[in-house]
Amino acid sequence: MKTTSLRSRSRSRSRSRNRKRKSSVSSSSCFDKAAMALKRGLPSSGANKNRSGGGGSSLPILLVIFFCVLSPLIFFVGRGLNITSSPADQNNDNDNEVGSGKQQLDWRERLALQHVKPLFSKEVIDVITSSTADLGPLSLDSFRKNKLSASWKVIGGETLVDNKAASETNQTATVVKQEASKGKGDNISEDNSQSGDTPAKLARRQLREKRREKRVAELLQQDDEATARLENAAIERSKLVDGAVLGKYSIWRKEMDSENSDSTVRLMRDQMIMARVYMSIAKMKNKHDLLLELQTQLKGSQRALGESSADSDLHPSAPGKLKAMGQVLSKAREQLYDCKLVTGKLRAMLQTADEQVRSLKKQSTFLSQLAAKTVPNGIHCLSMRLTIDYYLLPLEKRKFPRSENLENPNLFHYALFSDNVLAASVVVNSTIMNAKDSSKHVFHLVTDKLNFGAMNMWFLLNPPGKATIHVENVDEFKWLNSSYCPVLRQLESAAMKEYYFKANHPTSLSSGSSNLKYRNPKYLSMLNHLRFYLPQVYPKLDKILFLDDDIVVQKDLTKLWSVDLNGKVNGAVETCGESFHRFDKYLNFSNPHIARHFDPSACGWAYGMNVFDLKVWKKKDITGIYHKWQNMNEDRVLWKLGTLPPGLITFYNLTYPLQKSWHVLGLGYNPSIDRSEIENAAVVHYNGNMKPWLELAMTKYRPYWTKYIKYDHPYLRNCNLSE
């Protein structure tokens, strides 16, 4: 109403200004004409008529002056009367203009409602309709500023622009209303209109406001629940990400929405295979132009594919290369396709690929065995430095303390046979650090003459607490000779020398390389076979715990001495599963001697941590059983080389199964061992080629071993040994 009244007033003022301007112009023109007439002596009007009459009279001049002077006076007097007229007349005019403006406003509201209905739900339209009567037009910008639910927002650029323009118009109208109310005193009339609201109308208004607030709260809650569901889904998807390839993997990447994210890569590889087939046929049929075209496209596809394993890794030119190759293959198919030829070429390519795979597997086996044989430079350096320093010591300083404990059967005795100083130190340190009373532990170490000085020097410099240490040289066991030990006698035979040391020894991928595992130097060392002579090495002991040098002790092992073996000789952890690590995996059951005496499904067990009852050993003559079967296997017809197969035979039906938590194996070859199983184990075993001191060790298992090494030791620093 205020806006229309202001508009009517501005229009009336503009009309009055125009009238004044016209009147002033007309008066000024009258005065100019009168002045010109006086100068010429002619009347200003009707001059042509009076000119014939001679000198003329002054009556026309007076009339002109009268109209020029009095007409403006009459105009201004009438204007003043119009200005001072009654306000009722003005209100009538304003009402007419307001009626027309209202009709225009109703028309605009209907048009806006037609555009808004498809965008909002019925509930939102009801809220807007109910709010319009009391609060004026409802602006979406107010909801945006208050950060309400996204359900109140209109998605789309055009709607946003329209809303913004509407809000700006409403703001401008509000400013005009405020200014008009300040200038004309309309606040009084507004207060009167508001005070005229009935209680029923106020109650309805409050009810509408409550319904609107409730709806807003419901929409906000729905948005919060939807956001929470999306976040939870994203978290669950992120848990499925493999940490090994996090550098190239992201659940937000676009290709993750597709089940076949490598479909383009596989299609390009298929095209390359078919291109090679058609190249061979084109060469056969002297299609040199097509052959050259296929070669060119093949090189382009190879460059675009590169080392990609997923579509996201492809070069940007890959789609173009894919299309061009498809066109060339279509052309080749029209000219060269022959079902028999294509089938023959694909079969030949398949056979070639199969041979390449077998060759690569052999090469991989050869290289892994070769790496397992090697001694790292750092460990070799450590052994040499320790050996030199040991032989520089005087004789009285080369002895270990507490030698009286070596034959005390009431203490806990360990047997460790190794030529690796660093590995032996980890076994001893881990055992002592997890022992409750280190003074009751005795370690019997046996090594070869090359590492005898180094092993002594290391433990002289780094004594393991109050534990007892004793180091022996296997080459000083005079009773261990070829006349007594079948293995030594077999190693001296021509057949064994031919197998190990012949001039054309298969150091490559020739025949016989499948036995590379058994050509490891450790199978030639008596340190590996000394485990079958424990009563001879330690004749005064009743029970001993045998440890390999590739294990780590994580708990106190003293409870193993109290385990009742039920008359058995060997206490070990069984390793058999549903169909693996059983006797038929290690022994040749096609041989009648093996098939007659052993069960092929009997469960195997592991060396690495074994409790041996030496009293029962002597009664059962275990060493004699071992000699018997070792003599029968001189031609390696019963089993390959190694110590586990003869151990399974020697201790057959004489092995007591320990709980699996005592000894967890596979850290040298199995990457999928459960972490909780490793951490709960008393002993973890790095059996396999991936020893923890080698560079090919599995990094996730290596910390269990390295934490027992002090890499800041001067000898280790001088030999560049680090984590």
Side-chain angles (χ1 to χ4, degrees):
M1 294 292 291
K2 291 181 180 181
T3 305
T4 54
S5 63
L6 288 174
R7 290 177 180 174
S8 62
R9 292 175 185 175
S10 61
R11 291 172 184 172
S12 61
R13 289 174 182 172
S14 61
R15 287 196 294 268
S16 64
R17 284 195 295 270
N18 292 335
R19 292 171 184 172
K20 290 179 181 180
R21 191 178 296 109
K22 291 179 181 179
S23 62
S24 61
V25 171
S26 62
S27 61
S28 61
S29 61
C30 290
F31 284 114
D32 292 338
K33 291 179 180 179
M36 292 297 293
L38 290 174
K39 289 180 181 179
R40 296 177 181 178
L42 295 173
S44 59
S45 63
N48 295 330
K49 295 180 182 180
N50 296 332
R51 189 177 297 172
S52 61
S57 65
S58 60
L59 181 59
I61 297 173
L62 294 175
L63 291 174
V64 171
I65 294 173
F66 173 79
F67 285 110
C68 292
V69 173
L70 293 181
S71 59
L73 294 176
I74 295 171
F75 171 77
F76 286 118
V77 172
R79 175 60 180 166
L81 293 175
N82 185 30
I83 294 174
T84 58
S85 61
S86 64
D89 297 334
Q90 294 181 4
N91 291 335
N92 293 332
D93 296 338
N94 292 338
D95 292 339
N96 295 331
E97 293 181 1
V98 167
S100 62
K102 187 174 182 180
Q103 291 177 358
Q104 293 179 358
L105 183 60
D106 293 340
W107 174 78
R108 290 175 181 173
E109 286 182 354
R110 289 194 299 271
L111 182 60
L113 189 60
Q114 292 176 0
H115 289 84
V116 167
K117 276 185 177 180
L119 302 176
F120 295 101
S121 63
K122 185 176 182 302
E123 291 80 1
V124 178
I125 295 295
D126 294 341
V127 173
I128 295 175
T129 305
S130 61
S131 303
T132 304
D134 299 320
L135 302 177
L138 186 62
S139 174
L140 295 179
D141 290 337
S142 62
F143 288 94
R144 295 192 190 97
K145 292 177 181 178
N146 293 330
K147 298 180 181 179
L148 294 181
S149 168
S151 302
W152 293 89
K153 298 181 181 180
V154 181
I155 306 302
E158 297 178 356
T159 309
L160 291 175
V161 173
D162 295 340
N163 291 336
K164 185 175 181 182
S167 64
E168 292 177 356
T169 304
N170 293 334
Q171 292 175 1
T172 305
T174 304
V175 173
V176 173
K177 288 180 181 180
Q178 292 176 354
E179 292 178 352
S181 62
K182 292 179 181 178
K184 298 297 179 179
D186 290 338
N187 292 332
I188 298 173
S189 62
E190 289 180 4
D191 295 337
N192 293 333
S193 63
Q194 290 179 1
S195 61
D197 291 344
T198 61
K201 189 175 182 179
L202 291 174
R204 286 195 301 270
R205 183 186 303 166
Q206 293 176 359
L207 183 60
R208 286 193 297 268
E209 291 178 354
K210 289 181 180 179
R211 285 200 301 266
R212 182 175 63 180
E213 292 175 357
K214 182 179 179 181
R215 179 57 182 168
V216 170
E218 290 176 355
L219 294 174
L220 285 173
Q221 184 178 2
Q222 290 176 4
D223 276 6
D224 292 341
E225 292 176 355
T227 303
R229 286 195 299 269
L230 288 174
E231 291 178 352
N232 293 332
I235 292 172
E236 293 299 327
R237 290 178 65 185
S238 65
K239 291 179 180 179
L240 302 177
V241 178
D242 189 1
V245 289
L246 274 177
K248 291 186 176 181
Y249 191 94
S250 173
I251 61 173
W252 306 111
R253 279 165 59 170
K254 196 171 184 179
E255 66 268 15
M256 291 311 302
D257 296 335
S258 174
E259 296 181 357
N260 299 318
S261 60
D262 60 342
S263 58
T264 305
V265 172
R266 289 187 284 109
L267 179 57
M268 292 186 69
R269 289 174 179 167
D270 292 342
Q271 285 185 340
M272 292 165 62
I273 293 173
M274 292 307 301
R276 292 189 180 95
V277 172
Y278 284 127
M279 283 170 57
S280 178
I281 299 175
K283 187 175 181 180
M284 183 188 306
K285 295 186 176 182
N286 296 323
K287 299 285 186 179
H288 299 292
D289 295 339
L290 185 58
L291 175 62
L292 181 61
E293 194 171 356
L294 286 168
Q295 289 176 343
T296 303
Q297 293 299 330
L298 180 61
K299 291 179 181 179
S301 296
Q302 288 175 340
R303 286 193 297 268
L305 182 62
E307 300 294 332
S308 302
S309 58
D311 294 349
S312 58
D313 300 329
L314 287 172
H315 192 270
S317 63
K321 300 294 184 183
L322 184 68
K323 184 177 180 181
M325 177 63 85
Q327 294 173 352
V328 176
L329 289 176
S330 178
K331 181 179 177 181
R333 179 183 176 86
E334 294 176 357
Q335 299 183 18
L336 303 175
Y337 184 76
D338 186 333
C339 184
K340 292 184 178 180
L341 281 176
V342 172
T343 304
K345 294 296 181 183
L346 288 174
R347 186 180 293 109
M349 292 176 64
L350 181 62
Q351 293 175 353
T352 303
D354 188 46
E355 291 177 359
Q356 290 178 351
V357 170
R358 286 198 298 268
S359 176
L360 290 174
K361 284 184 177 180
K362 290 182 179 180
Q363 184 178 4
S364 176
T365 303
F366 178 82
L367 293 176
S368 62
Q369 296 296 335
L370 184 63
K373 296 178 184 179
T374 60
V375 178
N377 290 335
I379 295 179
H380 180 72
C381 166
L382 177 64
S383 180
M384 294 298 100
R385 286 178 178 270
L386 291 171
T387 300
I388 293 172
D389 292 344
Y390 175 76
Y391 288 108
L392 292 176
L393 288 176
L395 294 177
E396 61 273 11
K397 293 185 178 181
R398 298 182 186 178
K399 296 181 180 180
F400 290 97
R402 295 179 289 275
S403 59
E404 65 277 4
N405 294 333
L406 296 177
E407 297 180 352
N408 186 349
N410 297 322
L411 300 179
F412 306 111
H413 295 264
Y414 301 85
L416 175 60
F417 308 148
S418 174
D419 57 357
N420 189 326
V421 177
L422 196 62
S425 70
V426 170
V427 176
V428 175
N429 291 340
S430 62
T431 305
I432 296 303
M433 290 178 66
N434 292 284
K436 295 180 179 179
D437 186 2
S438 62
S439 62
K440 295 182 178 181
H441 295 264
V442 182
F443 290 90
H444 302 267
L445 278 72
V446 180
T447 186
D448 54 17
K449 60 182 178 182
L450 293 177
N451 295 280
F452 177 74
M455 197 75 72
N456 277 279
M457 188 65 186
W458 177 263
F459 287 105
L460 287 171
L461 294 174
N462 307 280
K466 297 181 180 180
T468 302
I469 295 289
H470 181 59
V471 181
E472 295 181 273
N473 182 2
V474 67
D475 296 318
E476 294 180 356
F477 294 161
K478 302 302 181 183
W479 52 269
L480 195 63
N481 50 52
S482 58
S483 61
Y484 176 71
C485 180
V487 173
L488 287 176
R489 183 175 65 255
Q490 292 170 6
L491 290 175
E492 294 176 356
S493 65
M496 191 67 71
K497 289 180 179 179
E498 178 70 13
Y499 182 77
Y500 275 104
F501 307 112
K502 63 183 180 179
N504 56 348
H505 183 277
T507 56
S508 61
L509 302 177
S510 59
S511 60
S513 60
S514 59
N515 297 327
L516 284 173
K517 176 180 178 180
Y518 306 103
R519 301 177 192 274
N520 196 310
K522 73 177 183 179
Y523 297 114
L524 299 175
S525 173
M526 275 309 300
L527 290 175
N528 202 40
H529 293 268
L530 195 61
R531 64 192 68 191
F532 294 103
Y533 300 96
L534 290 176
Q536 288 79 4
V537 181
Y538 311 109
K540 296 184 179 181
L541 298 180
D542 297 334
K543 185 176 286 189
I544 196 167
L545 183 64
F546 172 79
L547 299 175
D548 269 343
D549 62 355
D550 55 353
I551 62 101
V552 174
V553 179
Q554 300 184 132
K555 293 183 179 180
D556 184 30
L557 301 180
T558 54
K559 293 182 180 180
L560 286 172
W561 273 264
S562 60
V563 174
D564 185 6
L565 300 181
N566 295 329
K568 304 296 179 64
V569 180
N570 175 26
V573 172
E574 293 182 336
T575 59
C576 59
E578 295 181 358
S579 61
F580 55 92
H581 286 198
R582 298 184 181 272
F583 272 44
D584 58 353
K585 178 181 178 180
Y586 305 99
L587 304 177
N588 180 18
F589 276 87
S590 63
N591 187 282
H593 296 287
I594 297 295
R596 190 182 308 119
H597 293 87
F598 305 102
D599 180 8
S601 62
C603 189
W605 47 268
Y607 272 122
M609 190 212 70
N610 305 81
V611 180
F612 291 111
D613 189 335
L614 300 183
K615 287 184 177 180
V616 181
W617 183 307
K618 296 174 184 176
K619 291 180 181 179
K620 302 283 186 182
D621 190 18
I622 299 299
T623 304
I625 297 173
Y626 164 71
H627 284 173
K628 170 189 173 183
W629 287 101
Q630 189 67 49
N631 286 326
M632 295 173 62
N633 193 47
E634 186 170 359
D635 297 330
R636 300 179 304 282
V637 294
L638 304 182
W639 68 84
K640 301 291 184 180
L641 295 178
T643 56
L644 182 56
L648 296 175
I649 291 176
T650 302
F651 296 102
Y652 184 65
N653 291 330
L654 295 174
T655 300
Y656 178 82
L658 300 175
Q659 293 182 359
K660 293 185 180 299
S661 61
W662 280 111
H663 187 192
V664 172
L665 299 100
L667 277 71
Y669 70 90
N670 186 4
S672 59
I673 304 176
D674 187 71
R675 182 176 179 180
S676 61
E677 186 178 357
I678 295 175
E679 293 178 351
N680 294 329
V683 172
V684 292
H685 194 173
Y686 292 84
N687 58 313
N689 291 328
M690 300 179 183
K691 302 298 183 185
W693 56 83
L694 298 176
E695 292 184 0
L696 51 82
M698 283 183 277
T699 55
K700 68 177 182 178
Y701 297 148
R702 202 164 184 267
Y704 297 107
W705 188 80
T706 56
K707 69 179 181 179
Y708 294 104
I709 299 176
K710 295 181 179 180
Y711 284 99
D712 59 347
H713 195 283
Y715 278 91
L716 300 184
R717 288 203 310 268
N718 292 336
C719 292
N720 295 322
L721 284 168
S722 60
E723 296 186 46

